[in-house]
Amino acid sequence: KRDIELLLKLIANLNMLLKDENVNVVKKAILTMTQLYKVALQWMVKSKVISELQEACWEMMAAMASDIILLLDSDNDGIRTHAIKFVEGLIITLSPRMADSDVPKRHENDISLERIPKDHPYIKYNVLWEEGKAALEQLLKFMVHPAISSINLTAALGSLATIARQRPMFMAEVIQAYETLHANLPPTLAKSQVSSVRKNLKLHLLSVLRHPSSGDFQPQITTLLVDLGTQQAEIARSMPSPRDARKRPRDEPDAALKKMKIEPPLGEDDEDKDLEPTTVAAPKAAGQASVPSDTDITAEFLQPLLTPENVANLVLISMVYLPEAMPASFQATYTPVESAGTEAQIKHLSRLMATQMTAAGLGPGVEQTKHLKEEPKEEKTAKPESVVIKRRLSALAQGQAISVLGAQGSAANLLEEEAPQAKRRPEPIIPATQPRLAGAGGRKKVFRLGDVLKPLSDAQMEKLKLSAVKRILRAERAVACSGAAQARVKILASLVTQFEVPLKSEVLAFILDDIRGRLDLAFAWLFQEYNAYLSRFPAGSLERYDECLIGLLAGLQEKPDQKDGIFTKVVLEAPLITESALEVIRKYCEDESRTYLGMSTLRDLIFKRPSRQFQYLHVLLDLSSHEKDKVRQQALLFIKRMYEKDQLREYVEKFALNYLQLLVHPNPPSVLFGADKDTEVAAPWTEETIKQCLYLYLALLPHNHKLIHELASVYTEAIADIKRTVLRVIEQPIRGMGMNSPELLLLVENCPKGAETLVTRCLHSLTDKVPPSPELVKRVRDLYHKRLPDVRFLIPVLNGLEKKEVIQALPKLIKLNPIVVKEVFNRLLGTQHGDGASAVSPLNPGELLIALHNIDSSKCDMKSIIKATNLCFAERNVYTSEVLAVVMQQLMEQSPLPMLLMRTVIQALTMYPRLGGFVMNILSRLIMKQV
């Protein structure tokens, strides 16, 4: 400031410091530039003759100013704040003061645009004016950035208020920027920061409102202040006095006339950057703009559309998009609307909406401005100031001084003249390598990683990925100690979903190494894969999810030392059980050491996943005919419990009957051999394949007696081998039903043709160890007398018949197969299974032997009768000497004497010689009777 000539020596050093790596150095350099820029400009304007070195110095100064504007994008918050203050000063310097500019006393002597003569040989008035407007545009863009920090936003608000007070021609842009900010507060701000920003906005609005030029913007400012919670009294106190408002029209013409020669038209658009020194116009009054802004056009378009009905519809539609929780910014900024429905409030609402639409690039204002800008661009030609800009950038790139541009000099000649002066550029006093590369145009302010990176090969990337994953996996304990275990799990799950097979195998092996401790990672991965599938639904594939689930289940299956609960937990908590996973569960069930666990898991799936329960039930039903006895028995136990559930009963029953119906085929169907299609195979039926069809049915039979009729109908159509097997395996289930079963009694009563042996077998099973019930005897008696007079039906219920009925049936009974006759006598004598329970027999042993003697030889041949009596004599435990004595006594008293009497007497004497005296007595009495 005191010795301006030092600037020529120090400018290069300052430029170097501006690019220093130390943040504090850069900040100081920006602060210094804020002062030096004005000093340098004033020096250039006052200099009568400008040397090449002076010119080069100014070029470097201008380049540094551009660099500082670019620092608005710096990564450092403090640098950005300093850059904002510099840009504020730059805008004020590169714009003309007006009559009502509110300039602080300490800055009254500072240079500004109106002090620069329009015919200056080097400093171009219009170029600097455009640069000032461009700097304002950059500042406005920076302020509406959604990621702006609270500190930067506060600084920018203050700078804009200062600009509005000192340069009223920019008041429209400033008020519009405040409106935009109020409508779109950055979402990154915390609740306390929102309050702070709103407080600052209110203070700055009040300061702008006090300015005499705020008259045209008072409605907008007042509405904004009311929204910010300002009292009407406070707003009224801040209004400019009417005296100031009256003074302005009187003062303005004089001020304008005074400065006619030195001030450019303020309303010129960017496209009209003519450097004609003859163009002179009075500055437009504050608040007046030659062209309405995008926001103004859109607001005018919206205002008539904001009817109560439309607003209500907008509110209802937007309700759908509201977040669950109230954002902190809204909570801090909301103030009740006092003047709802008034013209002023509708106008304010239209401006708020227009501001947001313009920010999003929507609305008639944006489109109209776009059309207006396209036309001048087509007409644009190389103008004299473009040469100036080109020369300045060139100087910045080369770091050398450039000759002065004449009023209308040739660009080519000028560039030629520069070459000899190359050595006279400003040099830093302490030599140091400039961090900028040649040709960078002075625009690259920060290190860019992309400039120094080289692409990696696929092999290198795979190796790095694997190493990174292994590091994350190994860091399990360290991360757990730091309390970030959940975050690690989320990162791993998200990463592994995007991996290829080798990396996934690494993670899977890690999980299986300690499945109990890493179960949360297993589930996180599993759900991440499922989520990836859903995000691409319905086009997505389940392949990756399937691989993950099978990997976990198969890994558990291969680890015999794992606790059972883990397998069940993984299956039950998996979002979807695929076909392949179900196959793994089936194999688990088929492993004899884990049958119970596998089937318990299947059972839980059936009850807890109702949408696919029949698919899981089918697997369990298939296992009911498994070749391994333990697997089959366990499956039948589970199925019997499920059969009690109403929703599963029908499906289980249908499956059992389908298998039963297979027995009517002459050859076993292929489904019994694990084939998918139900076709017959050439192999004959074996006992094993027959039993496969019967296991489930027979397990259900004691629980549902109605199923017995299905067996009877199948039995009648089956081949002999199948019938024999059925008769062998039916005994236990029939006993489980009991002889009082109504369905069993109904079967006996309506015995189907061809099922006689089945019914007989059922009767034998029921009465083998228990005497027949009266109801059963009644049904068998009716069957024998009314429908099927086959004496074999009577055998199982002999002990339930009356004595007379047994005696009537004896001739037929003793003509049967000797084995059957033996069983008949066992039942009648109570000697079956050696229990000797003769008390239940309708005939005692003596009565039976007498009945045999009294059989009419016309009804039965003598040979069968003799065989029958021999069977009696064979039971010495039953036919003791006393019993035989009573029998002979009774037979002797009959008339006529039975034909076999003497034979019986001889057999009795042979068996019991001590009966000799008794026999002699009988014989003597017979002689007396003269037989």
Side-chain angles (χ1 to χ4, degrees):
K1 286 181 181 180
R2 294 187 180 182
D3 184 2
I4 193 65
E5 295 299 326
L6 283 174
L7 186 62
L8 295 171
K9 298 176 183 178
L10 299 176
I11 187 68
N13 290 64
L14 187 60
N15 185 32
M16 188 173 67
L17 293 174
L18 194 59
K19 300 169 182 64
D20 199 274
E21 291 179 2
N22 189 306
V23 172
N24 291 321
V25 172
V26 176
K27 287 183 192 175
K28 287 289 183 186
I30 296 171
L31 282 174
T32 307
M33 272 296 292
T34 308
Q35 298 293 322
L36 283 183
Y37 185 84
K38 290 184 278 188
V39 173
L41 181 59
Q42 194 161 2
W43 175 47
M44 292 294 289
V45 170
K46 286 181 178 178
S47 298
K48 300 278 175 74
V49 180
I50 298 174
S51 67
E52 288 87 349
L53 198 59
Q54 204 174 345
E55 183 184 340
C57 178
W58 171 248
E59 291 294 349
M60 187 169 278
M61 182 67 72
M64 288 164 69
S66 298
D67 285 353
I68 294 172
I69 294 174
L70 290 176
L71 286 177
L72 289 171
D73 290 331
S74 169
D75 295 333
N76 184 276
D77 220 19
I79 290 177
R80 289 198 299 269
T81 305
H82 283 68
I84 290 166
K85 299 307 288 181
F86 174 83
V87 173
E88 174 197 323
L90 186 70
I91 294 165
I92 291 168
T93 303
L94 299 184
S95 56
R97 286 184 194 174
M98 296 175 67
D100 51 0
S101 289
D102 183 7
V103 182
K105 284 188 178 180
R106 69 177 185 277
H107 294 310
E108 280 179 355
N109 296 321
D110 285 357
I111 190 166
S112 54
L113 200 59
E114 84 282 353
R115 296 188 181 184
I116 299 172
K118 293 208 171 183
D119 56 351
H120 195 282
Y122 184 71
I123 302 296
K124 293 297 177 186
Y125 181 100
N126 280 16
V127 173
L128 294 182
W129 177 221
E130 292 302 330
E131 283 181 6
K133 288 195 283 189
L136 177 63
E137 195 175 325
Q138 289 296 322
L139 183 59
L140 293 174
K141 278 184 187 174
F142 172 74
M143 201 185 82
V144 297
H145 194 282
I148 188 169
S149 71
S150 171
I151 296 168
N152 292 161
L153 187 53
T154 306
L157 286 171
S159 292
L160 284 179
T162 304
I163 291 166
R165 289 196 307 274
Q166 294 194 36
R167 298 293 181 264
M169 79 279 288
F170 294 135
M171 195 170 282
E173 286 87 343
V174 171
I175 300 300
Q176 189 171 325
Y178 283 169
E179 281 184 323
T180 305
L181 177 69
H182 177 62
N184 298 286
L185 273 177
T188 52
L189 300 183
K191 188 175 178 181
S192 59
Q193 292 173 330
V194 169
S195 302
S196 174
V197 168
R198 282 168 60 84
K199 186 177 178 183
N200 273 289
L201 183 56
K202 173 182 162 185
L203 291 172
H204 294 312
L205 278 168
L206 287 169
S207 74
V208 172
L209 183 61
R210 293 188 190 99
H211 196 278
S213 297
S214 67
D216 294 340
F217 305 101
Q218 280 180 9
Q220 291 159 252
I221 297 173
T222 305
T223 310
L224 277 175
L225 284 168
V226 170
D227 273 5
L228 290 166
T230 315
Q231 299 296 324
Q232 287 293 343
E234 191 176 354
I235 296 173
R237 284 198 302 273
S238 301
M239 287 285 187
S241 65
R243 185 178 55 195
D244 293 341
R246 280 199 306 275
K247 278 169 65 181
R248 282 178 57 222
R250 285 202 306 274
D251 296 343
E252 271 180 3
D254 297 333
L257 286 169
K258 280 180 190 175
K259 298 180 183 180
M260 281 275 268
K261 295 178 182 179
I262 59 170
E263 288 186 359
L266 299 180
E268 289 183 41
D269 287 338
D270 291 355
E271 291 79 15
D272 302 324
K273 300 175 186 173
D274 292 325
L275 288 180
E276 298 174 6
T278 55
T279 307
V280 178
K284 301 234 174 162
Q288 292 181 345
S290 60
V291 180
S293 70
D294 300 355
T295 308
D296 295 334
I297 296 166
T298 308
E300 280 180 34
F301 169 74
L302 287 174
Q303 194 170 341
L305 299 176
L306 292 176
T307 62
E309 185 181 355
N310 285 348
V311 171
N313 287 334
L314 278 173
V315 171
L316 289 173
I317 290 166
S318 62
M319 293 286 276
V320 181
Y321 302 102
L322 291 182
E324 292 295 326
M326 187 188 296
S329 58
F330 179 81
Q331 199 167 1
T333 60
Y334 175 71
T335 49
V337 180
E338 293 179 359
S339 54
T342 61
E343 192 64 30
Q345 196 268 335
I346 292 171
K347 187 175 181 182
H348 176 58
L349 179 59
S350 68
R351 285 194 68 82
L352 280 180
M353 290 177 67
T355 302
Q356 292 194 329
M357 288 172 72
T358 305
L362 302 171
V366 175
E367 292 171 15
Q368 192 169 324
T369 309
K370 198 184 295 179
H371 290 314
L372 286 171
K373 284 185 178 179
E374 281 170 2
E375 292 169 14
K377 279 182 183 176
E378 292 169 6
E379 300 167 8
K380 214 169 190 182
T381 56
K383 296 180 183 177
E385 72 262 34
S386 66
V387 180
V388 177
I389 295 165
K390 184 176 178 183
R391 285 173 56 253
R392 194 186 72 209
L393 294 176
S394 160
L396 179 63
Q398 297 168 9
Q400 63 189 33
I402 298 172
S403 60
V404 180
L405 173 63
Q408 297 292 333
S410 162
N413 292 340
L414 289 168
L415 291 172
E416 284 173 14
E417 288 170 13
E418 292 161 11
Q421 306 296 331
K423 293 180 181 177
R424 300 186 61 185
R425 61 176 190 164
E427 293 283 348
I429 294 171
I430 301 169
T433 308
Q434 292 278 357
R436 300 235 172 161
L437 298 172
R443 291 287 174 182
K444 290 195 178 176
K445 62 189 184 302
V446 290
F447 170 72
R448 302 288 181 196
L449 193 60
D451 298 340
V452 295
L453 290 182
K454 292 180 183 177
L456 296 169
S457 67
D458 290 346
Q460 284 175 311
M461 284 194 285
E462 287 302 318
K463 186 179 178 183
L464 286 171
K465 279 197 285 187
L466 186 60
S467 303
V469 171
K470 284 182 175 177
R471 278 198 303 279
I472 298 171
L473 294 176
R474 285 197 300 268
E476 182 179 32
R477 188 170 294 175
V479 172
C481 293
S482 67
Q486 284 301 316
R488 173 180 169 276
V489 166
K490 284 181 183 176
I491 292 167
L492 265 177
S494 183
L495 284 175
V496 77
T497 308
Q498 302 165 47
F499 291 160
E500 297 306 318
V501 175
L503 289 168
K504 288 190 176 184
S505 304
E506 189 77 30
V507 177
L508 182 63
F510 175 76
I511 291 170
L512 291 172
D513 192 43
D514 177 17
I515 185 67
R516 186 169 289 280
R518 294 161 186 163
L519 199 55
D520 55 343
L521 176 57
F523 280 127
W525 176 16
L526 195 60
F527 276 86
Q528 193 77 24
E529 292 284 10
Y530 187 66
N531 191 45
Y533 156 71
L534 288 181
S535 64
R536 295 188 294 271
F537 187 82
S541 166
L542 269 172
E543 184 182 354
R544 291 189 167 199
Y545 168 80
D546 197 26
E547 285 171 2
C548 174
L549 182 56
I550 291 169
L552 290 168
L553 294 179
L556 283 167
Q557 193 176 5
E558 290 164 13
K559 289 183 174 288
D561 56 327
Q562 289 298 336
K563 297 283 183 184
D564 293 347
I566 300 288
F567 181 84
T568 307
K569 190 176 177 68
V570 172
V571 171
L572 293 183
E573 293 192 20
L576 180 70
I577 302 297
T578 59
E579 294 291 338
S580 310
L582 200 55
E583 199 54 41
V584 174
I585 298 169
R586 177 199 283 273
K587 285 178 184 171
Y588 223 78
C589 295
E590 290 174 346
D591 180 352
E592 286 187 84
S593 63
R594 294 170 169 182
T595 298
Y596 183 80
L597 164 66
M599 291 186 188
S600 300
T601 307
L602 258 181
R603 175 199 61 204
D604 292 343
L605 272 180
I606 291 165
F607 289 131
K608 293 180 181 179
R609 300 280 178 96
S611 59
R612 302 182 70 191
Q613 65 183 176
F614 293 120
Q615 184 184 0
Y616 308 136
L617 180 57
H618 195 89
V619 175
L620 193 58
L621 291 168
D622 271 343
L623 294 169
S624 67
S625 55
H626 199 271
E627 57 192 14
K628 292 180 183 174
D629 188 56
K630 185 176 179 181
V631 175
R632 184 177 65 249
Q633 293 298 334
Q634 196 66 57
L636 289 172
L637 276 173
F638 277 102
I639 291 168
K640 279 193 273 189
R641 287 179 206 152
M642 288 178 193
Y643 190 59
E644 296 166 6
K645 306 289 180 186
D646 292 337
Q647 73 269 29
L648 305 176
R649 192 180 184 89
E650 186 182 348
Y651 191 88
V652 174
E653 198 171 291
K654 189 177 177 184
F655 187 92
L657 294 177
N658 282 345
Y659 258 61
L660 181 66
Q661 290 294 335
L662 297 177
L663 294 173
V664 301
H665 293 268
N667 292 96
S670 58
V671 71
L672 295 176
F673 301 98
D676 291 334
K677 293 182 180 177
D678 190 3
T679 54
E680 290 188 15
V681 294
W685 282 101
T686 62
E687 185 167 350
E688 187 51 46
T689 51
I690 296 166
K691 283 181 178 179
Q692 261 184 279
C693 298
L694 288 167
Y695 285 129
L696 181 56
Y697 169 82
L698 295 176
L700 300 181
L701 190 55
H703 299 274
N704 185 358
H705 298 177
K706 287 184 180 178
L707 297 176
I708 191 70
H709 304 294
E710 297 290 339
L711 179 63
S713 60
V714 168
Y715 183 85
T716 56
E717 298 177 42
I719 59 173
D721 287 343
I722 292 174
K723 287 182 177 178
R724 278 193 290 274
T725 304
V726 169
L727 292 176
R728 275 198 294 276
V729 298
I730 196 73
E731 182 175 344
Q732 200 61 41
I734 293 295
R735 282 184 186 166
M737 291 172 72
M739 64 178 71
N740 293 321
S741 166
E743 299 300 329
L744 202 53
L745 293 171
L746 189 63
L747 177 69
V748 172
E749 189 178 333
N750 304 325
C751 178
K753 191 173 181 181
E756 292 87 353
T757 47
L758 176 68
V759 173
T760 310
R761 183 65 190 152
C762 291
L763 291 171
H764 277 283
S765 301
L766 289 169
T767 60
D768 209 16
K769 294 182 179 179
V770 185
S773 66
E775 189 63 30
L776 184 63
V777 173
K778 180 178 179 296
R779 299 294 173 102
V780 175
R781 185 187 287 128
D782 289 347
L783 176 67
Y784 176 69
H785 288 300
K786 295 176 183 177
R787 291 186 59 227
L788 294 167
D790 187 338
V791 76
R792 286 176 295 181
F793 282 122
L794 296 176
I795 296 171
V797 296
L798 276 175
N799 290 344
L801 296 174
E802 295 177 5
K803 184 193 294 187
K804 179 183 173 185
E805 289 175 310
V806 176
I807 292 171
Q808 282 178 353
L810 266 179
K812 292 181 181 178
L813 288 170
I814 61 175
K815 285 195 285 186
L816 297 172
N817 185 299
I819 297 168
V820 177
V821 176
K822 172 73 173 164
E823 186 188 345
V824 169
F825 277 67
N826 284 342
R827 284 178 177 272
L828 288 172
L829 297 172
T831 57
Q832 71 261 45
H833 308 298
D835 57 6
S838 57
V840 295
S841 175
L843 297 173
N844 60 40
E847 289 172 334
L848 175 60
L849 195 54
I850 292 167
L852 287 172
H853 281 75
N854 291 334
I855 290 173
D856 189 346
S857 57
S858 63
K859 292 181 181 177
C860 181
D861 60 291
M862 192 57 66
K863 187 176 180 183
S864 296
I865 298 170
I866 291 169
K867 282 182 181 176
T869 56
N870 287 341
L871 285 172
C872 292
F873 283 117
E875 298 293 338
R876 292 190 62 149
N877 292 335
V878 177
Y879 287 94
T880 59
S881 57
E882 291 81 4
V883 172
L884 288 176
V886 172
V887 169
M888 286 188 287
Q889 179 71 39
Q890 288 184 8
L891 286 174
M892 185 199 70
E893 292 172 358
Q894 287 183 11
S895 181
L897 291 171
M899 192 178 294
L900 293 176
L901 173 60
M902 288 313 295
R903 189 173 184 282
T904 300
V905 170
I906 293 166
Q907 277 181 298
L909 195 56
T910 306
M911 282 172 67
Y912 301 107
R914 61 192 179 84
L915 286 175
F918 178 74
V919 169
M920 291 304 292
N921 185 23
I922 285 174
L923 290 174
S924 66
R925 288 171 66 187
L926 287 174
I927 293 167
M928 297 266 303
K929 283 188 175 184
Q930 298 178 355
V931 175

